[in-house]
Amino acid sequence: MFSTLADSLDKSFRDLRGVGRLSEKNITDALRQIRIALVEADVEFNVAKNFIERVKDKSIGEDVLKSIKPGEQIIKFFQDELTELLGGDQAPLDLNPPARVLICGLNGAGKTTTSAKLALRLKKEGRRPLLIACDLYRPAAIEQLATLGKQAGVPVYTPDASETDVVKVAKDALAWAENQNGTVLIFDTAGRQEIDDKLILELKRLHEFLKPKETLLVADAATGQQAVSVATHFDDAVGITGIILTKLDGDARGGAALSMREVTGKPIKFAGEGEKLDQLYEFHPNRMADRILG
Ligand code: GDP
């Protein structure tokens, strides 16, 4: 996903490495190129600008300019700042009981698939996850979760087709869960093509009732800037605790992933990299930074 960005960075870094002694001008020129590469890769403009300012402030220190390999040092600063931008340390899930995870996001972002992927992950860790279908608008979504749950070997609560109140479904699901002996409850919610008041109101009611430890936004990394604004909207409405970025296996520019943490202040906890149920990975900022830097 980051190949275009990685190529542009590689070129700028080669320029930096190629110069024996660096002047302030060399550094400014190289960092300007890098900023352009970031914005072209879909990184939000101010995020890219501030990021480059931070690398520049560190790089223009006396010691760096006098050091033997100033280019290498600047690249190291870049890598450190990129790791920081992506969130620093890996952010774990809060699964203290009662462990409830609310999955939200737009239609097609990958909520249902990701709910099942997460359940499979937790099961492999020795927990007893349960899946709860709360999308009352699309019967197909309920069926899809039932099918995926079966594949993952995880019990699924499926509401009646006539049910219209999501809080009632959640209540019934909690009663069902008592008998299932589950330790983590994952609620897959309804999405929309875009954010609207009805969706947010329903989600707020469900959130208020469940008081989940984790409210995770599933965002399609390929949607670029839209993913960032969607995250901000959901965060304002219900207070998300983290983000799961999906479709990182795609060929989009991927810069949204780089802006998400900075803009929302919420960590990216997992990354989806394929349609299969075992293709959900913990998001490690340092590993992602290494990947981007090639
Ligand atoms: P929902 O509407 O948000 O519940 O989205 P779905 O879970 O139905 O996913 C929409 C489509 O995206 C499906 O075809 C999924 O298989 C696909 N999908 C989900 N996550 C990923 C991912 O990480 N990579 C790829 N390539 N496809 C994904």
Side-chain angles (χ1 to χ4, degrees):
M1 150 154 293
F2 294 105
S3 56
T4 319
L5 177 60
D7 288 349
S8 314
L9 291 178
D10 193 40
K11 191 190 164 302
S12 306
F13 290 162
R14 244 181 292 143
D15 290 350
L16 277 176
R17 284 197 183 100
V19 183
R21 284 184 62 96
L22 284 178
S23 65
E24 213 173 302
K25 181 165 183 319
N26 297 140
I27 298 175
T28 307
D29 288 350
L31 290 178
R32 185 180 304 120
Q33 269 186 39
I34 295 174
R35 194 189 67 201
I36 292 169
L38 290 172
V39 172
E40 281 176 351
D42 247 351
V43 177
E44 207 261 337
F45 180 78
N46 285 312
V47 171
K49 185 163 162 270
N50 295 336
F51 175 83
I52 291 299
E53 282 301 315
R54 289 196 294 272
V55 179
K56 189 169 163 185
D57 285 349
K58 280 189 179 176
S59 306
I60 291 185
E62 280 284 302
D63 294 347
V64 176
L65 289 180
K66 284 189 195 141
S67 69
I68 305 171
K69 289 187 169 173
E72 296 298 334
Q73 277 216 25
I74 293 169
I75 294 164
K76 171 82 173 55
F77 290 147
F78 184 89
Q79 185 162 21
D80 292 348
E81 282 296 331
L82 188 58
T83 303
E84 218 29 61
L85 182 74
L86 289 167
D89 293 326
Q90 199 273 331
L93 287 181
D94 178 355
L95 294 175
N96 288 312
R100 295 175 187 165
V101 181
L102 190 62
I103 302 286
C104 58
L106 295 186
N107 273 345
K111 287 180 304 302
T112 305
T113 314
T114 304
S115 299
K117 284 178 170 180
L118 185 61
L120 179 63
R121 251 199 100 81
L122 296 173
K123 188 181 153 197
K124 284 183 178 167
E125 287 173 8
R127 300 175 198 275
R128 289 194 304 277
L130 300 175
L131 284 162
I132 293 145
C134 290
D135 184 348
L136 307 181
Y137 297 91
R138 290 191 315 142
I142 298 178
E143 268 169 46
Q144 187 192 354
L145 191 69
T147 307
L148 294 175
K150 210 174 205 172
Q151 279 173 28
V154 171
V156 182
Y157 180 82
T158 51
D160 270 356
S162 60
E163 206 54 80
T164 52
D165 180 3
V166 79
V167 172
K168 160 100 172 29
V169 169
K171 233 181 239 176
D172 291 347
L174 290 183
W176 166 84
E178 291 269 306
N179 296 322
Q180 294 287 328
N181 230 353
T183 55
V184 188
L185 276 55
I186 301 170
F187 296 81
D188 179 25
T189 63
R192 290 280 194 285
Q193 291 312 110
E194 53 189 35
I195 294 173
D196 66 29
D197 293 346
K198 204 172 164 206
L199 167 74
I200 293 294
L201 191 67
E202 181 181 284
L203 194 62
K204 276 185 168 170
R205 284 181 61 232
L206 188 58
H207 186 267
E208 216 157 275
F209 172 72
L210 289 172
K211 300 195 172 35
K213 292 254 165 50
E214 292 285 353
T215 302
L216 301 176
L217 176 84
V218 175
D220 179 343
T223 59
Q225 293 305 316
Q226 194 207 11
V228 181
S229 82
V230 165
T232 309
H233 268 95
F234 275 89
D235 194 30
D236 287 348
V238 287
I240 60 174
T241 56
I243 297 162
I244 302 183
L245 271 183
T246 58
K247 310 190 192 182
L248 274 173
D249 50 313
D251 57 4
R253 291 169 291 184
L258 274 61
S259 317
M260 228 121 182
R261 167 67 202 237
E262 180 101 342
V263 173
T264 64
K266 299 297 161 73
I268 300 170
K269 296 197 171 183
F270 294 95
E273 298 190 14
E275 296 193 63
K276 297 208 192 89
L277 289 188
D278 61 356
Q279 289 176 314
L280 180 75
Y281 306 95
E282 273 179 353
F283 186 85
H284 290 272
N286 55 345
R287 289 184 208 162
M288 185 55 80
D290 285 350
R291 196 161 124 186
I292 294 167
L293 293 178

